[in-house]
Amino acid sequence: MTVSLFIPCFVDLLYPKVGISIVQILERLGHKIDFAEELNCCGQPAFNSGYWDEARELAAPVVKRLKNAEAVVIASGSCGAMLKVFYPQLFAGTELETDAKKLSSKCFEFSDFLVTKLGVTDLGAKFPAKVTFHDGCHGLRELGIKRSPRALLEKVQGLQLVEMKEEICCGFGGTFAAKFPMISTAMGDVKCAQAAETGADYIISNDSSCLMHIQGLLEKQGKKLKTIHLAEVLTSR
Amino acid sequence: MTAPVQQFKRQAEVLTHDLRHREIIQTALGKYAVVRDKNRGAFQDYQSARQAAAETKWEAINHLDKHLEQLVSKLEARGTKVHWASTGDQAREIIQKILREKKARSIIKSKAMTSEEIHLNHALEEEGFEVVESDLGEFIVQLKKETPYHIVFPAMHLTRGEIRDLFNKELAANATDNPEELTMVARRVMRQKYITADIGFTGANFAIAETGMISITENEGNARLTAALPKTMITLVGIEKVLPRLEDLALFLPMLATSGTGQPLTCYNTMYSGPRQPGEPDGPEEWHVVLLDNRRSELLADPEQRDALHCIRCGACLNVCPIFRNVGGHTYGTTYSGPIGSVITPHLRGLDEWKHLSYSSSLCGACTETCPVKIDLAHHLLQNRRNSVQKKSSPAWKLGFELMNFVFKRPGFYEFVAPLGRAAQKLHPMIAGKAFDPAFPWTKTRSAPKIAKQTFKEWWRERG
């Protein structure tokens, strides 16, 4: 299958290993990558801030470029929710409405693509560590992805997964993190404390944006706990 | 006067750093979550129950006109006097007029968020009436001259020790922090008030159109005494409280209890259908029901967000909201706090002044997931944001997004982002975390992520 890949700006600039791992995994499974190189952003920051006209300006090229793809894999649950759930709302009543719906049906968050679309869980990875998993809220509640990342982690050799006591937001929330930094930070502290309670060495997530916030807090506080994206775990040997 | 947004940010700054406060709230709500989950399990299929509740509310709200007419005619048929109040001002005037006509001096009240919404206590006390809250939590916050902290748990932010100190000071009690003892102190005060009050004032949990009944659920029996002892009863009801049929309560009473407090059912569930009828030995001689609109019909006219009128005021969305759990109820500065408050306050009190509540959310969706009547809360926050920008955008944010679009849409420009970012990051450590750092809102508490040595796109191009 030809898999169209959407890499959001923060993965491109800050976490390229996530994208590279996704490419390596999909190619190893025999799929051809069609990388939408000219796309940089799904438009979510503007959309979430209420600037829907500005969001459409970035989103329209995404819809046009990817609408005829066989399948679109997105390296973030949050951007995935934007394409899959919010584009049809953003373009409702415009000439791109049909195309946005067409695209929506083909969009997959990376871990969910592997498990529900390809039926793959064992990638032969090895990651000997005690870990906990953070569900990005958009992936969890907008896309309903809970089982897929865990199904993949179960097959990773040496990995011990300990769940946190709650499914709770880490407090990133895009522009919220900068507009209300005190609330965002308090939420992040709650998250980090729950992760630390598990005794894990790593917080794994399928969303780099959450990890950017969590890692930032942990580093600033000099904590030992580390963060890593699921895709990187799945390419560990 | 400080704008609500400044007030909110200032309070949030204080309370997010108040670890003791955060601990009290997280502990209380942690206990709630355990019993809630247990009692959700008592439903044959909780998700189907939510769906059924949402559909019943759709029916109730979509035909609100018809249900209200039916409710009123059934109430009037048994001698209840019904009043329509378009605004909070009107509702207060109606209530004050009844009090004057009855030459009332004292009012005993059971819990009613609608009365908080129209600032009734304040207005009545200004006029010289004595108003006593009979719900224990409300009684406590009234003594403390505070507004309720939470829709369902008005005094959840106070410890037993703080309540003991309050009672000892205000009621000249000599109590320890034993809960039973404290309850008995409040009870001694209240029992006298029930007997001497001229007016019993209640809110409503549901209004049943089919039978013309007001349903009140409670745990302390205080609403029953409030309704039963004084000669005149006044009930203030938001018009959205209507349910079409009596049998709907079979679903809504357990739903409200489980979502609200985690209980399978609250201890007392009473249906009031009229004042004392000929031949009946007790009950109020007169019953006035005041139906409050207060901009609810404007929300009804909004096809995107009218499901916010489904709300049964259970507080479940507050309980799961990580923002509420960290900033607390008073920080909102509104009658209704948490996600539902952030959604409806802009409709009830103006978008311009209250839009910040829709922005102060990470949009995590825990509220939507827990809402027993399936209000699309998180998405309504997004719609409020969009509506506020359509009304009045911020030039700075608009310019920011336009610049971002300019760069992101042009690969030739985007290519420079990584090298420029790397250069800027070499200098950034000198100012990172300092007040004049442009990234200060981030770097005050978080280290900044680093631009990679090789971006994904650079890697992709290199491998050819």
Side-chain angles (χ1 to χ4, degrees):
Chain A
M1 171 184 335
T2 301
V3 180
S4 296
L5 187 61
F6 178 85
I7 298 287
C9 63
F10 58 92
V11 171
D12 175 44
L13 296 169
L14 307 171
Y15 306 105
K17 276 189 192 161
V18 174
I20 295 168
S21 301
I22 292 174
V23 170
Q24 288 171 344
I25 290 166
L26 292 175
E27 285 184 344
R28 205 182 301 144
L29 291 169
H31 302 286
K32 192 171 168 292
I33 302 292
D34 157 44
F35 174 44
E37 203 178 336
E38 70 278 28
L39 303 176
N40 296 305
C41 178
C42 65
Q44 188 173 191
F47 176 78
N48 280 359
S49 300
Y51 292 79
W52 287 29
D53 290 341
E54 287 76 7
R56 270 187 288 267
E57 257 190 64
L58 282 183
V62 179
V63 174
K64 287 176 191 156
R65 168 67 172 81
L66 297 173
K67 65 179 179 187
N68 293 318
E70 216 179 327
V72 179
V73 166
I74 300 130
S76 150
S78 191
C79 304
M82 184 66 195
L83 268 69
K84 199 170 178 66
V85 179
F86 294 113
Y87 274 11
Q89 294 177 29
L90 183 61
F91 288 105
T94 72
E95 56 179 14
L96 284 179
E97 183 173 1
T98 319
D99 289 343
K101 284 184 184 154
K102 193 170 148 193
L103 169 62
S104 167
S105 65
K106 299 180 212 180
C107 288
F108 295 89
E109 180 274 329
F110 159 70
S111 69
D112 200 43
F113 181 73
L114 290 178
V115 177
T116 59
K117 180 75 177 175
L118 300 181
V120 176
T121 50
D122 193 347
L123 292 158
K126 199 189 265 179
F127 195 81
K130 194 169 173 184
V131 306
T132 189
F133 190 80
H134 167 66
D135 296 278
C137 298
H138 271 153
L140 179 69
R141 301 203 181 88
E142 296 291 350
L143 300 176
I145 298 168
K146 171 100 183 167
R147 195 185 63 86
S148 293
R150 289 168 176 79
L152 290 160
L153 288 175
E154 264 173 34
K155 295 286 165 66
V156 175
Q157 283 179 46
L159 182 142
Q160 185 198 351
L161 175 68
V162 187
E163 296 283 0
M164 284 176 264
K165 68 177 179 193
E166 276 184 304
E167 278 171 1
I168 198 165
C169 177
C170 69
F172 173 60
T175 53
F176 166 76
K179 278 190 165 181
F180 299 92
M182 60 304 209
I183 309 177
S184 167
T185 298
M187 287 161 70
D189 285 344
V190 172
K191 185 89 221 179
C192 291
Q194 294 197 1
E197 263 176 42
T198 64
D201 307 309
Y202 289 91
I203 304 176
I204 302 177
S205 179
N206 48 354
D207 219 318
S208 299
S209 52
C210 305
L211 293 182
M212 173 171 73
H213 165 72
I214 295 171
Q215 181 75 47
L217 286 164
L218 292 169
E219 268 180 32
K220 187 94 178 178
Q221 295 170 8
K223 299 270 169 65
K224 280 197 189 130
L225 197 57
K226 293 178 285 291
T227 64
I228 185 168
H229 191 280
L230 177 66
E232 292 178 72
V233 173
L234 297 178
T235 48
S236 295
R237 287 286 183 278
Chain B
M1 210 171 101
T2 327
V5 60
Q6 263 98 42
Q7 176 74 20
F8 177 84
K9 284 189 172 176
R10 198 179 310 134
Q11 274 293 105
E13 191 69 55
V14 174
L15 283 172
T16 50
H17 287 95
D18 185 343
L19 297 183
R20 179 182 158 271
H21 175 266
R22 270 167 54 181
E23 184 63 34
I24 292 172
I25 302 307
Q26 312 266 4
T27 306
L29 293 176
K31 288 179 190 159
Y32 154 85
V34 173
V35 280
R36 177 202 62 198
D37 290 347
K38 178 176 155 264
N39 285 310
R40 274 183 182 173
F43 285 81
Q44 203 165 39
D45 177 352
Y46 186 70
Q47 292 308 326
S48 306
R50 279 179 84 214
Q51 185 58 34
E55 281 169 18
T56 303
K57 268 297 197 178
W58 266 117
E59 182 196 348
I61 297 300
N62 275 348
H63 302 285
L64 189 57
D65 53 341
K66 197 185 83 190
H67 295 308
L68 281 173
E69 275 179 18
Q70 193 186 13
L71 172 74
V72 170
S73 71
K74 294 280 177 182
L75 279 168
E76 286 175 341
R78 287 176 63 86
T80 303
K81 291 180 182 153
V82 180
H83 310 261
W84 298 84
S86 296
T87 63
D89 284 346
Q90 275 185 21
R92 281 195 309 272
E93 280 161 24
I94 290 165
I95 293 163
Q96 282 163 322
K97 191 162 168 271
I98 299 167
L99 299 187
R100 278 184 225 120
E101 278 172 11
K102 294 280 135 203
K103 297 192 170 49
R105 298 297 326 139
S106 58
I107 299 113
I108 184 96
K109 275 181 79 198
S110 68
K111 192 165 167 29
M113 288 308 289
T114 41
S115 80
E116 297 292 332
E117 181 185 328
I118 66 166
H119 308 294
L120 183 66
N121 286 13
H122 180 72
L124 297 184
E125 281 163 357
E126 288 268 285
E127 223 189 311
F129 294 106
E130 184 201 38
V131 185
V132 179
E133 294 286 348
S134 64
D135 173 89
L136 183 57
E138 293 280 348
F139 179 78
I140 293 165
V141 291
Q142 190 191 21
L143 271 184
K144 212 160 182 286
K145 299 187 174 54
E146 285 182 358
T147 54
Y149 181 93
H150 180 288
I151 299 175
V152 176
F153 313 120
M156 76 178 296
H157 59 306
L158 300 173
T159 60
R160 283 185 283 163
E162 285 168 313
I163 295 164
R164 172 202 59 208
D165 295 345
L166 180 73
F167 280 10
N168 289 351
K169 180 167 164 261
E170 300 292 333
L171 303 173
N174 189 18
T176 68
D177 65 358
N178 175 293
E180 282 80 21
E181 202 179 320
L182 291 170
T183 308
M184 287 315 290
V185 172
R187 183 177 164 137
R188 272 196 296 276
V189 175
M190 272 180 225
R191 284 285 148 122
Q192 281 311 307
K193 301 290 179 188
Y194 288 120
I195 295 163
T196 54
D198 304 304
I199 306 282
F201 181 96
T202 77
N205 293 104
F206 303 103
I208 309 299
E210 178 189 42
T211 52
M213 285 173 175
I214 298 294
S215 157
I216 299 181
T217 85
E218 49 157 340
N219 278 314
E220 297 164 19
N222 63 301
R224 282 189 174 179
L225 288 169
T226 299
L229 294 178
K231 280 188 177 168
T232 305
M233 175 177 172
I234 303 175
T235 299
L236 180 63
V237 192
I239 53 172
E240 85 286 7
K241 292 281 167 155
V242 168
L243 285 176
R245 295 161 297 268
L246 186 61
E247 68 178 32
D248 295 330
L249 289 178
L251 173 60
F252 278 85
L253 291 180
M255 205 72 171
L256 174 59
T258 305
S259 303
T261 57
Q263 293 168 284
L265 263 183
T266 48
C267 298
Y268 301 94
N269 290 284
T270 314
M271 264 80 81
Y272 298 94
S273 60
R276 186 186 301 188
Q277 303 295 304
E280 284 181 357
D282 53 16
E285 288 166 14
E286 250 181 55
W287 187 25
H288 296 266
V289 170
V290 182
L291 294 169
L292 179 70
D293 182 333
N294 210 20
R295 298 176 89 167
R296 284 165 174 77
S297 41
E298 283 172 46
L299 189 51
L300 181 64
D302 182 339
E304 262 180 350
Q305 295 195 37
R306 72 168 55 122
D307 68 334
L309 291 172
H310 294 186
C311 179
I312 56 173
R313 305 283 187 256
C314 67
C317 61
L318 284 63
N319 301 345
V320 298
C321 176
I323 289 94
F324 179 90
R325 286 162 63 154
N326 283 298
V327 306
H330 287 146
T331 300
Y332 290 78
T334 56
T335 304
Y336 306 105
S337 61
I340 185 67
S342 299
V343 167
I344 64 173
T345 306
H347 294 273
L348 301 181
R349 293 170 74 174
L351 181 58
D352 264 0
E353 253 197 318
W354 298 98
K355 64 181 181 217
H356 61 282
L357 297 180
S358 296
Y359 281 98
S360 78
S361 163
S362 61
L363 302 170
C364 78
C367 47
T368 309
E369 187 182 61
T370 204
C371 176
V373 287
K374 299 182 97 168
I375 303 172
D376 201 6
L377 290 157
H379 293 171
H380 292 340
L381 297 173
L382 274 169
Q383 289 149 4
N384 280 344
R385 295 178 186 192
R386 180 205 59 204
N387 294 347
S388 81
V389 169
Q390 278 174 355
K391 264 179 87 179
K392 198 170 87 186
S393 64
S394 138
W397 280 90
K398 194 171 163 58
L399 181 69
F401 288 125
E402 278 168 359
L403 272 173
M404 192 170 145
N405 285 2
F406 184 86
V407 175
F408 279 173
K409 283 170 72 181
R410 288 168 182 78
F413 277 85
Y414 181 79
E415 251 178 64
F416 289 105
V417 172
L420 280 174
R422 286 183 199 118
Q425 275 196 330
K426 287 220 172 84
L427 306 169
H428 189 238
M430 289 193 277
I431 55 163
K434 306 218 167 70
F436 52 90
D437 176 5
F440 185 63
W442 182 274
T443 54
K444 188 184 175 193
T445 56
R446 293 162 281 217
S447 66
K450 297 268 180 301
I451 307 259
K453 287 200 181 78
Q454 185 182 42
T455 66
F456 178 80
K457 286 185 185 179
E458 286 164 352
W459 172 82
W460 179 262
R461 280 195 290 269
E462 193 183 281
R463 83 200 275 260

